[in-house]
mmCIF file of all heavy atoms in Angstrom:
data_model
loop_
_atom_site.group_PDB
_atom_site.id
_atom_site.type_symbol
_atom_site.label_atom_id
_atom_site.label_comp_id
_atom_site.label_asym_id
_atom_site.label_seq_id
_atom_site.Cartn_x
_atom_site.Cartn_y
_atom_site.Cartn_z
ATOM 1 N N THR A 28 71.145 11.931 72.259
ATOM 2 C CA THR A 28 72.065 10.979 71.630
ATOM 3 C C THR A 28 73.481 11.535 71.507
ATOM 4 O O THR A 28 74.364 10.868 70.966
ATOM 5 C CB THR A 28 71.561 10.585 70.232
ATOM 6 O OG1 THR A 28 71.535 11.730 69.383
ATOM 7 C CG2 THR A 28 70.165 9.991 70.312
ATOM 8 N N VAL A 29 73.712 12.750 71.987
ATOM 9 C CA VAL A 29 75.047 13.356 71.924
ATOM 10 C C VAL A 29 75.946 12.729 72.992
ATOM 11 O O VAL A 29 75.581 12.678 74.162
ATOM 12 C CB VAL A 29 74.966 14.882 72.124
ATOM 13 C CG1 VAL A 29 76.364 15.496 72.226
ATOM 14 C CG2 VAL A 29 74.191 15.520 70.976
ATOM 15 N N LYS A 30 77.120 12.260 72.575
ATOM 16 C CA LYS A 30 78.068 11.646 73.510
ATOM 17 C C LYS A 30 78.984 12.680 74.167
ATOM 18 O O LYS A 30 79.284 12.585 75.349
ATOM 19 C CB LYS A 30 78.933 10.611 72.787
ATOM 20 C CG LYS A 30 78.224 9.326 72.405
ATOM 21 C CD LYS A 30 79.221 8.348 71.790
ATOM 22 C CE LYS A 30 78.556 7.024 71.436
ATOM 23 N NZ LYS A 30 79.529 6.072 70.830
ATOM 24 N N ARG A 31 79.439 13.655 73.364
ATOM 25 C CA ARG A 31 80.373 14.654 73.889
ATOM 26 C C ARG A 31 79.947 16.052 73.454
ATOM 27 O O ARG A 31 79.446 16.244 72.347
ATOM 28 C CB ARG A 31 81.793 14.405 73.384
ATOM 29 C CG ARG A 31 82.418 13.086 73.776
ATOM 30 C CD ARG A 31 83.920 13.079 73.430
ATOM 31 N NE ARG A 31 84.170 13.471 72.042
ATOM 32 C CZ ARG A 31 85.369 13.789 71.552
ATOM 33 N NH1 ARG A 31 86.420 13.789 72.367
ATOM 34 N NH2 ARG A 31 85.514 14.107 70.279
ATOM 35 N N HIS A 32 80.174 17.013 74.343
ATOM 36 C CA HIS A 32 79.969 18.423 74.020
ATOM 37 C C HIS A 32 81.344 19.091 73.981
ATOM 38 O O HIS A 32 82.032 19.168 75.005
ATOM 39 C CB HIS A 32 79.078 19.097 75.062
ATOM 40 C CG HIS A 32 77.669 18.594 75.071
ATOM 41 N ND1 HIS A 32 76.697 19.068 74.227
ATOM 42 C CD2 HIS A 32 77.066 17.627 75.816
ATOM 43 C CE1 HIS A 32 75.555 18.438 74.451
ATOM 44 N NE2 HIS A 32 75.750 17.552 75.409
ATOM 45 N N LEU A 33 81.744 19.535 72.796
ATOM 46 C CA LEU A 33 83.036 20.190 72.622
ATOM 47 C C LEU A 33 82.834 21.695 72.765
ATOM 48 O O LEU A 33 82.151 22.316 71.943
ATOM 49 C CB LEU A 33 83.631 19.854 71.254
ATOM 50 C CG LEU A 33 83.675 18.363 70.869
ATOM 51 C CD1 LEU A 33 84.409 18.182 69.549
ATOM 52 C CD2 LEU A 33 84.340 17.535 71.964
ATOM 53 N N ILE A 34 83.420 22.288 73.799
ATOM 54 C CA ILE A 34 83.198 23.694 74.123
ATOM 55 C C ILE A 34 84.447 24.491 73.740
ATOM 56 O O ILE A 34 85.503 24.348 74.371
ATOM 57 C CB ILE A 34 82.906 23.884 75.629
ATOM 58 C CG1 ILE A 34 81.960 22.789 76.140
ATOM 59 C CG2 ILE A 34 82.357 25.272 75.883
ATOM 60 C CD1 ILE A 34 80.619 22.764 75.493
ATOM 61 N N VAL A 35 84.348 25.317 72.713
ATOM 62 C CA VAL A 35 85.460 26.155 72.280
ATOM 63 C C VAL A 35 85.356 27.500 73.001
ATOM 64 O O VAL A 35 84.403 28.261 72.782
ATOM 65 C CB VAL A 35 85.444 26.362 70.749
ATOM 66 C CG1 VAL A 35 86.661 27.163 70.315
ATOM 67 C CG2 VAL A 35 85.402 25.012 70.034
ATOM 68 N N VAL A 36 86.337 27.771 73.860
ATOM 69 C CA VAL A 36 86.290 28.954 74.722
ATOM 70 C C VAL A 36 87.366 29.942 74.279
ATOM 71 O O VAL A 36 88.546 29.574 74.162
ATOM 72 C CB VAL A 36 86.513 28.563 76.196
ATOM 73 C CG1 VAL A 36 86.294 29.770 77.108
ATOM 74 C CG2 VAL A 36 85.587 27.422 76.598
ATOM 75 N N PRO A 37 87.013 31.194 74.028
ATOM 76 C CA PRO A 37 88.013 32.169 73.566
ATOM 77 C C PRO A 37 88.943 32.632 74.682
ATOM 78 O O PRO A 37 88.655 32.468 75.876
ATOM 79 C CB PRO A 37 87.151 33.328 73.051
ATOM 80 C CG PRO A 37 85.902 33.240 73.862
ATOM 81 C CD PRO A 37 85.673 31.767 74.102
ATOM 82 N N GLU A 38 90.039 33.210 74.292
ATOM 83 C CA GLU A 38 90.990 33.782 75.243
ATOM 84 C C GLU A 38 90.330 34.926 76.016
ATOM 85 O O GLU A 38 89.560 35.706 75.472
ATOM 86 C CB GLU A 38 92.204 34.305 74.466
ATOM 87 C CG GLU A 38 93.324 34.826 75.332
ATOM 88 C CD GLU A 38 94.484 35.346 74.489
ATOM 89 O OE1 GLU A 38 94.337 35.348 73.247
ATOM 90 O OE2 GLU A 38 95.502 35.751 75.072
ATOM 91 N N ARG A 39 90.597 34.978 77.318
ATOM 92 C CA ARG A 39 90.071 35.991 78.244
ATOM 93 C C ARG A 39 88.562 35.887 78.456
ATOM 94 O O ARG A 39 87.924 36.847 78.890
ATOM 95 C CB ARG A 39 90.437 37.412 77.778
ATOM 96 C CG ARG A 39 91.914 37.709 77.771
ATOM 97 C CD ARG A 39 92.203 39.175 77.459
ATOM 98 N NE ARG A 39 91.712 39.544 76.137
ATOM 99 C CZ ARG A 39 92.390 39.350 75.012
ATOM 100 N NH1 ARG A 39 93.585 38.794 75.042
ATOM 101 N NH2 ARG A 39 91.891 39.708 73.841
ATOM 102 N N ALA A 40 87.989 34.722 78.150
ATOM 103 C CA ALA A 40 86.547 34.552 78.383
ATOM 104 C C ALA A 40 86.202 34.704 79.851
ATOM 105 O O ALA A 40 85.109 35.156 80.211
ATOM 106 C CB ALA A 40 86.100 33.184 77.877
ATOM 107 N N GLU A 41 87.141 34.339 80.723
ATOM 108 C CA GLU A 41 86.890 34.416 82.171
ATOM 109 C C GLU A 41 86.803 35.857 82.657
ATOM 110 O O GLU A 41 86.410 36.101 83.814
ATOM 111 C CB GLU A 41 87.970 33.668 82.940
ATOM 112 C CG GLU A 41 89.356 34.282 82.914
ATOM 113 C CD GLU A 41 90.159 33.906 81.676
ATOM 114 O OE1 GLU A 41 89.569 33.346 80.720
ATOM 115 O OE2 GLU A 41 91.374 34.179 81.653
ATOM 116 N N LYS A 42 87.162 36.813 81.808
ATOM 117 C CA LYS A 42 87.121 38.219 82.196
ATOM 118 C C LYS A 42 85.746 38.845 81.993
ATOM 119 O O LYS A 42 85.530 39.998 82.381
ATOM 120 C CB LYS A 42 88.149 39.017 81.384
ATOM 121 C CG LYS A 42 89.589 38.561 81.557
ATOM 122 C CD LYS A 42 90.087 38.752 82.976
ATOM 123 C CE LYS A 42 91.546 38.338 83.108
ATOM 124 N NZ LYS A 42 92.025 38.511 84.501
ATOM 125 N N GLU A 43 84.831 38.128 81.381
ATOM 126 C CA GLU A 43 83.516 38.686 81.094
ATOM 127 C C GLU A 43 82.504 38.280 82.166
ATOM 128 O O GLU A 43 82.594 37.195 82.752
ATOM 129 C CB GLU A 43 83.041 38.245 79.703
ATOM 130 C CG GLU A 43 83.931 38.763 78.584
ATOM 131 C CD GLU A 43 83.286 38.637 77.218
ATOM 132 O OE1 GLU A 43 82.060 38.411 77.168
ATOM 133 O OE2 GLU A 43 83.996 38.775 76.215
ATOM 134 N N ILE A 44 81.524 39.111 82.375
ATOM 135 C CA ILE A 44 80.564 38.911 83.452
ATOM 136 C C ILE A 44 79.700 37.675 83.243
ATOM 137 O O ILE A 44 79.230 37.059 84.192
ATOM 138 C CB ILE A 44 79.668 40.163 83.616
ATOM 139 C CG1 ILE A 44 78.931 40.124 84.959
ATOM 140 C CG2 ILE A 44 78.696 40.297 82.456
ATOM 141 C CD1 ILE A 44 78.230 41.408 85.298
ATOM 142 N N GLY A 45 79.508 37.289 81.981
ATOM 143 C CA GLY A 45 78.643 36.140 81.713
ATOM 144 C C GLY A 45 79.335 34.796 81.812
ATOM 145 O O GLY A 45 78.703 33.759 81.576
ATOM 146 N N PHE A 46 80.631 34.784 82.164
ATOM 147 C CA PHE A 46 81.411 33.547 82.182
ATOM 148 C C PHE A 46 80.779 32.488 83.079
ATOM 149 O O PHE A 46 80.497 31.358 82.660
ATOM 150 C CB PHE A 46 82.837 33.869 82.638
ATOM 151 C CG PHE A 46 83.743 32.669 82.705
ATOM 152 C CD1 PHE A 46 84.113 31.990 81.552
ATOM 153 C CD2 PHE A 46 84.242 32.226 83.925
ATOM 154 C CE1 PHE A 46 84.966 30.892 81.608
ATOM 155 C CE2 PHE A 46 85.081 31.138 83.991
ATOM 156 C CZ PHE A 46 85.448 30.469 82.832
ATOM 157 N N THR A 47 80.538 32.829 84.331
ATOM 158 C CA THR A 47 79.982 31.845 85.268
ATOM 159 C C THR A 47 78.524 31.516 84.954
ATOM 160 O O THR A 47 78.044 30.440 85.316
ATOM 161 C CB THR A 47 80.087 32.355 86.714
ATOM 162 O OG1 THR A 47 79.451 33.629 86.819
ATOM 163 C CG2 THR A 47 81.540 32.476 87.138
ATOM 164 N N LEU A 48 77.840 32.439 84.270
ATOM 165 C CA LEU A 48 76.429 32.200 83.970
ATOM 166 C C LEU A 48 76.267 31.088 82.936
ATOM 167 O O LEU A 48 75.441 30.183 83.097
ATOM 168 C CB LEU A 48 75.767 33.496 83.476
ATOM 169 C CG LEU A 48 75.783 34.671 84.470
ATOM 170 C CD1 LEU A 48 75.112 35.889 83.856
ATOM 171 C CD2 LEU A 48 75.102 34.288 85.773
ATOM 172 N N TRP A 49 77.059 31.145 81.829
ATOM 173 C CA TRP A 49 76.932 30.069 80.849
ATOM 174 C C TRP A 49 77.573 28.779 81.341
ATOM 175 O O TRP A 49 77.149 27.684 80.963
ATOM 176 C CB TRP A 49 77.468 30.487 79.480
ATOM 177 C CG TRP A 49 78.931 30.816 79.346
ATOM 178 C CD1 TRP A 49 79.499 32.052 79.284
ATOM 179 C CD2 TRP A 49 80.021 29.881 79.195
ATOM 180 N NE1 TRP A 49 80.865 31.961 79.123
ATOM 181 C CE2 TRP A 49 81.212 30.631 79.049
ATOM 182 C CE3 TRP A 49 80.108 28.488 79.168
ATOM 183 C CZ2 TRP A 49 82.470 30.053 78.892
ATOM 184 C CZ3 TRP A 49 81.357 27.890 79.004
ATOM 185 C CH2 TRP A 49 82.523 28.674 78.876
ATOM 186 N N LEU A 50 78.595 28.905 82.209
ATOM 187 C CA LEU A 50 79.170 27.698 82.804
ATOM 188 C C LEU A 50 78.132 26.956 83.654
ATOM 189 O O LEU A 50 78.061 25.724 83.658
ATOM 190 C CB LEU A 50 80.375 28.053 83.676
ATOM 191 C CG LEU A 50 81.751 27.937 83.031
ATOM 192 C CD1 LEU A 50 82.835 28.254 84.048
ATOM 193 C CD2 LEU A 50 81.963 26.558 82.444
ATOM 194 N N ARG A 51 77.316 27.734 84.370
ATOM 195 C CA ARG A 51 76.281 27.120 85.201
ATOM 196 C C ARG A 51 75.290 26.334 84.345
ATOM 197 O O ARG A 51 74.817 25.263 84.733
ATOM 198 C CB ARG A 51 75.558 28.215 85.995
ATOM 199 C CG ARG A 51 74.603 27.694 87.064
ATOM 200 C CD ARG A 51 73.963 28.849 87.809
ATOM 201 N NE ARG A 51 74.979 29.711 88.403
ATOM 202 C CZ ARG A 51 74.726 30.928 88.873
ATOM 203 N NH1 ARG A 51 73.504 31.423 88.794
ATOM 204 N NH2 ARG A 51 75.691 31.648 89.411
#
């Protein structure tokens, strides 16, 4: 029943190895 998922992403999150894993 959730309409939107609001994803709060910290600064430099793309620098961590798990970035693409949780994005997937």
Side-chain angles (χ1 to χ4, degrees):
T28 63
V29 173
K30 288 184 178 180
R31 298 191 309 167
H32 293 276
L33 310 185
I34 318 298
V35 184
V36 187
E38 185 181 4
R39 296 187 299 276
E41 69 276 12
K42 300 296 182 181
E43 297 195 15
I44 195 170
F46 180 67
T47 55
L48 299 179
W49 64 258
L50 264 183
R51 189 179 303 166

